[in-house]
């Protein structure tokens, strides 16, 4: 396999790294919180006695957003995150690496089958900063007793009315001055590339609920359908 020749911190986001290989190619990576273990078949990269995991932008929309020039990344070392739509844990695993041992990621997933896979991968592998919650993001009161205030609410549930669900969760759990991160269907998949109606509606819901939109990043070519929106409650 091809040799790594350097790993350096990302120029803007602490906890995110850029690995460089002998053929000149570069890849995003995070420092592996559970060395020796993979979550989704990603490449493990050893550099100067530290192990990193390659972060694949075709599998993780947060990686795609970072590569596409995301301006603000509110997830940092020590952050407490509420992650809605954990699936089998691809992006949550990298968030877990970034927030590290002092951080915490409450991860909500409502499909029991997917949740079991998530548990096997992240929790059984010994990631101690992941709190798995089998629950439905539409009903935050159902899991309200598990969660203390968080710095960021992240949502990627591929469902309608995500902005409302996000804001409802933030009402319960988001600390003052906290951020929200929303993955939404962004563009009509046609030649006009006009923002879709859903996109505009979702942005409006956030504004009506008192959020200032800080950044919107489209995810092409990694993901043609979605964008990442970062907002802050004002
Ligand atoms: N965020 C994941 C990642 O990047 O690795 C991928 C998430 S996948 C696109 C969407 C997930 O949201 C699915 O696993 C689905 O079961 C879950 N989901 C959908 N509706 C939900 C809800 N109301 N509450 C919790 N999870 C939900």
């Amino acid at each position: 396999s091809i040799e790594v020749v350097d790993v350096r911190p990302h120029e803007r986001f602490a906890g995110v790294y850029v690995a460089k290989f002998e053929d000149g190619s570069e890849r995003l990576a995070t420092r592996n919180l559970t060395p020796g273990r993979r979550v989704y078949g990603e490449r493990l990269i050893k550099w100067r006695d530290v192990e990193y995991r390659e972060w694949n932008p075709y599998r993780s929309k947060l990686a795609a957003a970072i590569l596409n020039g995301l301006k603000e990344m509110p997830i940092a070392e020590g952050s407490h995150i509420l992650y809605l739509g954990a699936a089998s844990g691809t992006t949550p695993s990298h968030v877990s690496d970034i927030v590290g041992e002092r951080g915490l990621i409450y991860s909500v997933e409502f499909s029991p089958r997917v949740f079991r896979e998530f548990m096997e991968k992240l929790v059984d592998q010994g990631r101690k900063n992941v709190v798995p919650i089998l629950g439905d993001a539409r009903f935050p009161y159902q899991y309200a007793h598990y969660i203390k205030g968080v710095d960021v609410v992240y949502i990627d549930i591929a469902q309608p009315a995500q902005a409302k669900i996000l804001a409802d969760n933030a009402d319960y759990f988001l600390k003052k001055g906290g951020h929200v991160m929303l993955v939404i269907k962004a563009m009509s998949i046609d030649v006009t590339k006009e923002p879709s109606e859903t996109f505009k509606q979702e942005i409006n819901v956030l504004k009506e609920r008192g959020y200032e939109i800080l950044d919107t990043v489209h995810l092409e070519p990694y993901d043609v359908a979605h964008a990442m929106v970062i907002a802050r409650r004002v």
Side-chain angles (χ1 to χ4, degrees):
S1 78
I2 158 172
E3 291 277 328
V4 61
V5 295
D6 184 40
V7 176
R8 63 177 193 273
H10 187 272
E11 56 186 12
R12 277 168 300 147
F13 306 137
V16 180
Y17 296 86
V18 179
K20 187 173 179 179
F21 298 90
E22 60 186 348
D23 65 354
S25 63
E26 295 192 332
R27 297 278 190 278
L28 280 187
T30 55
R31 185 179 176 145
N32 195 356
L33 195 63
T34 51
R37 295 169 191 260
R38 289 183 174 77
V39 175
Y40 59 103
E42 70 280 19
R43 169 163 45 171
L44 300 180
I45 300 161
K46 192 90 180 257
W47 179 249
R48 296 198 169 141
D49 291 331
V50 176
E51 188 180 278
Y52 301 84
R53 297 187 302 124
E54 183 175 335
W55 193 0
N56 185 340
Y58 292 94
R59 302 281 302 275
S60 170
K61 297 179 199 99
L62 181 54
I66 291 172
L67 286 177
N68 281 1
L70 191 69
K71 290 199 286 282
E72 262 191 72
M73 224 289 273
I75 298 171
E77 209 263 310
S79 302
H80 287 201
I81 314 289
L82 172 59
Y83 193 107
L84 305 169
S88 57
T90 302
T91 301
S93 72
H94 290 287
V95 172
S96 158
D97 283 348
I98 294 169
V99 301
E101 277 162 13
R102 294 192 311 117
L104 209 51
I105 166 171
Y106 299 101
S107 305
V108 178
E109 171 56 50
F110 83 159
S111 153
R113 186 190 56 79
V114 174
F115 183 76
R116 189 168 62 230
E117 205 182 318
F118 175 71
M119 288 283 283
E120 281 163 7
K121 285 185 173 169
L122 265 68
V123 181
D124 299 349
Q125 284 191 358
R127 283 186 180 263
K128 298 202 175 82
N129 63 4
V130 177
V131 180
I133 297 171
L134 178 62
D136 188 326
R138 287 171 297 180
F139 310 115
Y141 56 85
Q142 289 183 345
Y143 46 84
H145 49 288
Y146 293 118
I147 300 177
K148 290 217 185 98
V150 297
D151 305 295
V152 177
V153 181
Y154 184 110
I155 190 167
D156 180 17
I157 58 171
Q159 297 274 328
Q162 281 203 105
K164 179 195 179 296
I165 297 170
L166 174 64
D168 288 349
N169 276 272
D171 284 350
Y172 270 88
F173 308 116
L174 189 64
K175 287 183 199 160
K176 204 160 175 274
H179 290 76
V180 295
M181 305 177 74
L182 169 66
V183 172
I184 40 179
K185 269 262 168 65
M187 290 288 176
S188 328
I189 314 287
D190 61 29
V191 286
T192 66
K193 294 248 178 149
E194 283 290 307
S196 64
E197 276 310 309
T198 344
F199 181 78
K200 289 185 233 166
Q201 280 163 13
E202 295 278 271
I203 295 283
N204 277 336
V205 169
L206 280 186
K207 288 181 180 162
E208 280 161 16
R209 298 284 293 259
Y211 288 86
E212 175 192 4
I213 309 298
L214 301 178
D215 201 4
T216 301
V217 180
H218 294 277
L219 305 184
E220 297 133 22
Y222 311 107
D223 179 306
V224 290
H226 294 91
M228 171 80 70
V229 177
I230 313 276
R232 186 178 52 207
R233 192 154 53 187
V234 287

